[in-house]
Amino acid sequence: MMGWFDDVVSTVRNVATKVVKVVRDAIRVIAEKGEAFIGAVKETYAKVKPYLQKLSPYLKSIAAAAEAIHPWLGKAILAIDKAISALLALENSPILHQLEKAMRWVVELAKRLDERLSAMDEALAREHEAVFRAAKAHEYSAEHVKAFDLAAMINELALVKTGIANLIDDGDFIGFEHYLRLRATQKLIRTVEEVLARATTMEEISVDDIFLVQIGAMLLSDAPEMSDAEAARLDAIVFSRYGKKLTPFVFEEMSKMWQLALTDDKRLWKRTAETLAVAQAKLSRLKLEALLSPLSAQDQGELESLEAVLPVELAANKALMKRNVEREYYVYATEGFLQLLEKTPEQIQADDQDFLLDLGEEVGLLLTDCAHRDLRWADMSAEQQALIADFANVFRADSIKRGEELEVECNG
């Protein structure tokens, strides 16, 4: 599991090498040990799922009349058809007949990219994916290769989008790393879909777009691995399209998820506290009335119920408040680590935050050590808690803002 994390964090390059290494290691360990620091991934995801379900993984604008809506798609279909005919006229081989079948499939698939693949269609797409891979071993003209690459991309794009949709609905995450892979894939595929939405010719769909779909498929696989070259290329593409490096691009989704879940639980605490305050007032009134005169059977039953239930609910809500406070420090500290990865030393200096380099390093080392030794917040000394709190509170507003970005993205 850590192999993919290592691929991502290895792209970090910064002048403040020592600090960045500590922060990089800290954020990686926090992600790995997130269930101990923040809570179970499935429990946390349950709070984020309603937002992500609003993010349709499909381009609703693609319809059967492909060329009328997307000129590039009509041209791609013609190029694919032309490539098949030309090659079949030159050679009658098993691989070409398989490729023809795969390309014909893609022509029809391209007309319904707004639909999730059925289990049967997904199996077919997997078969054709293998054919496209096998075809790579043969030599074709540049024009034919472009047509094949586009066909393979369309086939893979349908598989990736179906995988995203299934995973969002099922929520069957192994850990936070699994969730990060989903969100990274989701964001990468959206950039490709934006290109497809505005492209008028095949030439506007670049090799980078094809590469991003391939990376998306890899990230959704059971054992994702990136070579150093792939990680460096992805890092460059992400910076070009998002203005941020690969590591914060990936790990900010963990921060957003935790912040959104924390905000949800803080709202839950407030609603529950208000409800319990009303219940406490009622209990006090019933106790007073019971001192003055016998209660009716209904009031007596309500009094006994409140006396039994209210202490338990008050204790549970108090525990939630305590847990929220502890989680705040981890979530806000993670935001601080992200900013240290996002900013150059010059930007940190311009923001008059030089002190954060030393403080960030100290907090990063502390949290990494606590994670490795399975130390919870209550196990830390008062001085250690104060150190983390001082660092975390600097980034409170920014963390809340980053969490709202996910909410806006999903609602927009």
Side-chain angles (χ1 to χ4, degrees):
M1 182 179 294
M2 291 301 291
W4 179 70
F5 274 150
D6 288 334
D7 291 335
V8 172
V9 299
S10 69
T11 62
V12 173
R13 297 288 183 271
N14 203 308
V15 177
T17 309
K18 185 182 177 185
V19 177
V20 168
K21 183 181 183 305
V22 169
V23 168
R24 180 193 67 192
D25 291 343
I27 203 168
R28 183 180 61 177
V29 170
I30 289 172
E32 186 189 20
K33 303 275 190 177
E35 300 212 21
F37 281 112
I38 307 295
V41 64
K42 291 185 179 179
E43 173 191 327
T44 309
Y45 175 69
K47 302 179 190 306
V48 179
K49 180 178 178 179
Y51 295 98
L52 292 188
Q53 284 181 317
K54 296 177 184 178
L55 257 182
S56 171
Y58 301 112
L59 269 180
K60 295 300 184 184
S61 58
I62 292 181
E67 188 166 3
I69 304 298
H70 288 284
W72 72 266
L73 190 49
K75 292 179 175 65
I77 288 171
L78 289 175
I80 290 169
D81 187 68
K82 181 180 176 183
I84 295 169
S85 301
L87 287 171
L88 286 175
L90 292 172
E91 183 183 347
N92 186 20
S93 67
I95 185 63
L96 274 182
H97 283 289
Q98 291 174 359
L99 195 54
E100 178 195 17
K101 188 177 179 182
M103 301 282 266
R104 301 288 184 205
W105 151 265
V106 167
V107 167
E108 292 306 312
L109 180 62
K111 299 174 184 177
R112 51 186 180 92
L113 275 176
D114 58 332
E115 299 175 11
R116 187 189 303 199
L117 296 180
S118 66
M120 184 180 297
D121 279 347
E122 191 172 355
L124 276 173
R126 296 284 177 203
E127 289 180 17
H128 296 316
E129 185 179 37
V131 172
F132 286 123
R133 279 200 300 269
K136 287 282 187 183
H138 299 260
E139 290 188 9
Y140 303 109
S141 70
E143 182 184 10
H144 292 156
V145 168
K146 177 72 173 180
F148 295 160
D149 284 346
L150 275 175
M153 183 194 79
I154 293 168
N155 187 69
E156 199 158 38
L157 181 60
L159 284 169
V160 170
K161 293 197 298 178
T162 295
I164 291 172
N166 290 342
L167 193 50
I168 286 175
D169 287 350
D170 296 342
D172 193 17
F173 295 100
I174 300 168
F176 284 111
E177 181 261 1
H178 197 188
Y179 173 80
L180 289 180
R181 285 195 278 125
L182 164 75
R183 283 295 290 144
T185 304
Q186 197 174 32
K187 292 201 296 184
L188 293 174
I189 293 305
R190 288 192 79 185
T191 70
V192 175
E193 290 192 315
E194 287 167 3
V195 171
L196 299 185
R198 63 174 181 264
T200 58
T201 66
M202 287 194 303
E203 287 67 32
E204 291 176 63
I205 302 167
S206 70
V207 290
D208 284 347
D209 298 311
I210 294 172
F211 173 72
L212 289 180
V213 175
Q214 293 168 346
I215 289 293
M218 179 275 294
L219 290 176
L220 291 184
S221 66
D222 293 334
E225 286 187 10
M226 278 191 293
S227 67
D228 290 345
E230 287 173 330
R233 182 179 178 186
L234 181 58
D235 185 43
I237 295 172
V238 167
F239 189 78
S240 171
R241 298 192 181 193
Y242 281 88
K244 61 182 68 176
K245 304 298 282 181
L246 181 59
T247 303
F249 172 82
V250 170
F251 283 96
E252 73 171 349
E253 296 307 316
M254 178 179 66
S255 182
K256 289 178 184 178
M257 179 193 198
W258 285 347
Q259 180 60 59
L260 211 54
L262 174 62
T263 300
D264 189 74
D265 275 345
K266 289 173 78 171
R267 289 170 182 162
L268 173 62
W269 174 85
K270 184 178 180 182
R271 290 195 306 269
T272 305
E274 291 169 352
T275 301
L276 291 176
V278 173
Q280 282 182 296
K282 179 174 280 190
L283 177 60
S284 297
R285 178 177 61 78
L286 288 172
K287 282 183 174 180
L288 181 60
E289 289 179 2
L291 291 174
L292 299 175
S293 62
L295 295 175
S296 66
Q298 180 178 342
D299 285 348
Q300 184 62 37
E302 188 171 9
L303 172 63
E304 292 173 0
S305 175
L306 285 171
E307 285 180 325
V309 172
L310 199 53
V312 176
E313 293 182 345
L314 283 168
N317 209 41
K318 183 178 180 181
L320 176 61
M321 179 181 68
K322 181 174 179 290
R323 182 168 138 72
N324 284 347
V325 171
E326 293 174 0
R327 286 162 65 201
E328 276 185 333
Y329 295 133
Y330 292 125
V331 174
Y332 300 160
T334 300
E335 171 64 31
F337 294 151
L338 280 172
Q339 289 198 25
L340 288 175
L341 293 179
E342 288 173 332
K343 296 179 179 180
T344 64
E346 292 76 21
Q347 287 173 312
I348 292 172
Q349 190 172 35
D351 293 340
D352 198 24
Q353 292 183 324
D354 290 21
F355 70 97
L356 292 178
L357 293 174
D358 291 335
L359 189 55
E361 181 181 356
E362 195 172 354
V363 171
L365 288 170
L366 172 58
L367 287 181
T368 301
D369 179 60
C370 289
H372 285 315
R373 294 197 291 140
D374 291 324
L375 295 180
R376 304 297 179 93
W377 182 261
D379 301 321
M380 298 182 199
S381 68
E383 290 77 11
Q384 290 173 326
Q385 291 178 351
L387 177 68
I388 295 170
D390 287 344
F391 177 74
N393 284 329
V394 174
F395 301 98
R396 182 180 185 277
D398 289 339
S399 180
I400 293 171
K401 183 179 178 182
R402 199 184 293 261
E404 290 170 349
E405 287 176 6
L406 178 58
E407 198 169 350
V408 169
E409 178 188 355
C410 295
N411 289 329

